[in-house]
Amino acid sequence: MTEPYYDPYDWDIDTDPYPAWRRLRDDAPLYYNEKYDFYALSRYDDVERCSVDWRTYISGKGSVLEIIRSGMEMPPGNILFEDPPAHDMHRALLSRVFTPKRVADIEPKVREFCARTLDPHVGSDRFDFILDLGAQMPMRTIGMLLGIPEDDQDAIRERIDAGFKMESGEMPDADSATSGVRSFGDDFVDYIEWRAKNPSDDLMTELLNAEFEDETGEIRRLTRDELLIIVNVIAGAGNETTTRLIGWSGKVLAEHPDQRRELVADRSLVPNAIEELLRYEPPAPHVGRYVTQDVEHHGQTVPAGSVMLLLVGSANRDDRRFPDGDTFDIHRTITQHLTFGYGIHFCLGAALARLEGRIALDEVLTRFPEWEVDLPNAKLSSTSTVRGWETLPAIIPT
């Protein structure tokens, strides 16, 4: 039998990584990839434990393998690539403006965005889960929260999408890997300056005016550079991950029509179905960490200075945590999956993603209770950070 192998840049593996991840869990729970010089943990307990140990497994050098390997210095404001105390400061600030109440209050507007994108396709025999919904509604929602005019949202989304794509099945070079980080926020310079002069009831205005105590004890507001990066992180994370979730809902439920019919008949099952979709096909299947000190896993030493990939997608299907983990079941009791992270980096937008996923699925089921995926014309995105569909056309029975 061949040795277990996993390569996050290999497009063939990425098409269906789950057999490779099962091999890792069973035969190489601590895995080392010599080609790209990284370690990986694939079992739930290991990934969960490392996720909370932020002193040993830090984010301050990046959370993406190629960015960590580049050695670039991270600009301030990107809470994904920060450690305490800067991370705690920026996260606390965002928590004040990204509240559960604000998320709950936008539900009618999110339903309106869904209706606007879905209604023109009612009565047709085709509908694309990405092009006709996933690429539209999440950006409309984030754009509304940030106060970005709708006419400009498509161009911003396209630039965000382009920043995630890989040109080949190899690790990007340092310049390519860091170009997106170095240009963070460029799309929003004009909006921020305009909003500073024209305040409104939106996230951008609140972030502009919020005062906080920074790590030096100074009471201040965000610098323009910090604000540009924070806004870019919100726009990117809010657009990409929810788009992937919507795509996977179309793909997975087409493969499980009996469970889809249950959802059509009983919408109270939709929230748990979204949790199971998040567990079963996480939009961001792995996260990187820089190891600050020698650590031991499964009898082997991981030296300080290493890069550790935490394979969330594998952990979420670990039979040790989720019995029969490779089986999709909308009735599964899920106490805690790792799709939104764990510990200090738990996703601030989790409530928004859940809301958008639930509403999108509910509105799709109302209009299209049955569909099949046109797989020959579907296209999986090629990225090293998120996993999902670039196009996912569905055939609607008429």
Side-chain angles (χ1 to χ4, degrees), residues 257-290:
D258 291 345
Q259 295 188 59
R260 181 179 61 197
R261 291 182 191 111
E262 287 189 72
L263 293 171
V264 171
D266 183 359
R267 299 307 171 83
S268 70
L269 299 174
V270 168
N272 201 66
I274 292 298
E275 291 306 306
E276 177 68 345
L277 282 162
L278 286 163
R279 180 199 72 85
Y280 190 74
E281 289 286 10
H286 48 72
V287 61
R289 294 288 186 260
Y290 180 85

Side-chain angles (χ1 to χ4, degrees), residues 5 8 15 109 142 152 164 193 203 237-238 242 252 308 349 354:
Y5 182 75
T15 299
K109 201 69 179 175
I142 289 295
D152 298 316
F164 279 89
E193 295 307 321
L203 252 179
T242 309
V252 174
M308 180 69 77
R354 286 176 165 125

Side-chain angles (χ1 to χ4, degrees), residues 30-312:
L30 175 67
Y31 170 73
Y32 177 68
N33 181 292
E34 186 174 350
K35 179 179 181 181
Y36 293 121
D37 187 22
F38 71 87
Y39 291 85
L41 290 168
S42 50
R43 292 182 180 175
Y44 185 97
D45 286 348
D46 291 332
V47 173
E48 181 186 54
R49 188 162 49 247
C50 293
S51 296
V52 299
D53 185 2
W54 59 266
R55 290 179 176 86
T56 303
Y57 306 93
I58 66 170
S59 303
K61 293 181 179 294
S63 62
V64 180
L65 176 57
E66 59 264 30
I67 291 177
I68 301 174
R69 278 275 162 256
S70 76
M72 79 168 293
E73 184 176 344
M74 295 298 141
N78 185 342
I79 62 172
L80 302 177
F81 299 166
E82 284 184 327
D83 302 306
H87 169 270
D88 295 349
M89 174 189 71
H90 289 128
R91 185 181 178 91
L93 181 62
L94 280 173
S95 296
R96 283 162 42 189
V97 297
F98 220 96
T99 63
K101 183 181 185 303
R102 180 184 290 275
V103 171
D105 286 347
I106 67 172
E107 176 162 348
K109 201 69 179 175
V110 175
R111 286 196 181 274
E112 179 189 323
F113 291 147
C114 284
R116 281 170 52 187
T117 58
L118 292 172
D119 284 348
H121 303 283
V122 172
S124 64
D125 60 357
R126 297 183 71 84
F127 154 73
D128 196 303
F129 273 85
I130 302 300
L131 301 180
D132 297 326
L133 180 60
Q136 305 297 323
M137 183 270 284
M139 193 65 214
R140 295 283 181 266
T141 302
I142 289 295
M144 173 186 65
L145 287 170
L146 291 173
I148 300 169
E150 283 199 17
D151 289 348
D152 298 316
Q153 290 171 10
D154 285 343
I156 290 174
R157 175 183 53 77
E158 287 170 3
R159 284 195 290 274
I160 291 172
D161 287 347
F164 279 89
K165 289 181 179 177
M166 292 194 306
E167 297 301 321
S168 71
E170 299 285 334
M171 177 190 283
D173 60 34
D175 285 343
S176 299
T178 59
S179 62
V181 178
R182 286 184 275 108
S183 63
F184 258 1
D186 290 354
D187 289 328
F188 301 101
V189 173
D190 292 340
Y191 296 127
I192 289 175
E193 295 307 321
W194 184 84
R195 184 55 77 200
K197 299 172 185 175
N198 301 274
S200 181
D201 181 23
D202 57 31
L203 252 179
M204 192 88 83
T205 300
E206 291 192 41
L207 289 170
L208 276 162
N209 296 325
E211 292 188 342
F212 62 96
E213 182 178 338
D214 69 14
E215 65 268 38
T216 69
E218 179 187 354
I219 304 297
R220 65 178 180 86
R221 296 181 181 182
L222 289 168
T223 66
R224 283 295 190 269
D225 286 345
E226 287 175 316
L227 183 54
L228 282 167
I229 291 172
I230 286 172
V231 169
N232 196 85
V233 169
I234 292 171
N239 177 61
E240 285 296 322
T241 53
T242 309
T243 298
R244 311 299 179 190
L245 171 59
I246 290 170
W248 285 119
S249 69
K251 173 72 160 47
V252 174
L253 289 174
E255 295 170 340
H256 298 83
D258 291 345
Q259 295 188 59
R260 181 179 61 197
R261 291 182 191 111
E262 287 189 72
L263 293 171
V264 171
D266 183 359
R267 299 307 171 83
S268 70
L269 299 174
V270 168
N272 201 66
I274 292 298
E275 291 306 306
E276 177 68 345
L277 282 162
L278 286 163
R279 180 199 72 85
Y280 190 74
E281 289 286 10
H286 48 72
V287 61
R289 294 288 186 260
Y290 180 85
V291 182
T292 61
Q293 59 185 337
D294 290 1
V295 290
E296 186 172 302
H297 290 282
H298 301 282
Q300 302 176 60
T301 298
V302 177
S306 300
V307 180
M308 180 69 77
L309 280 192
L310 303 178
L311 302 180
V312 171

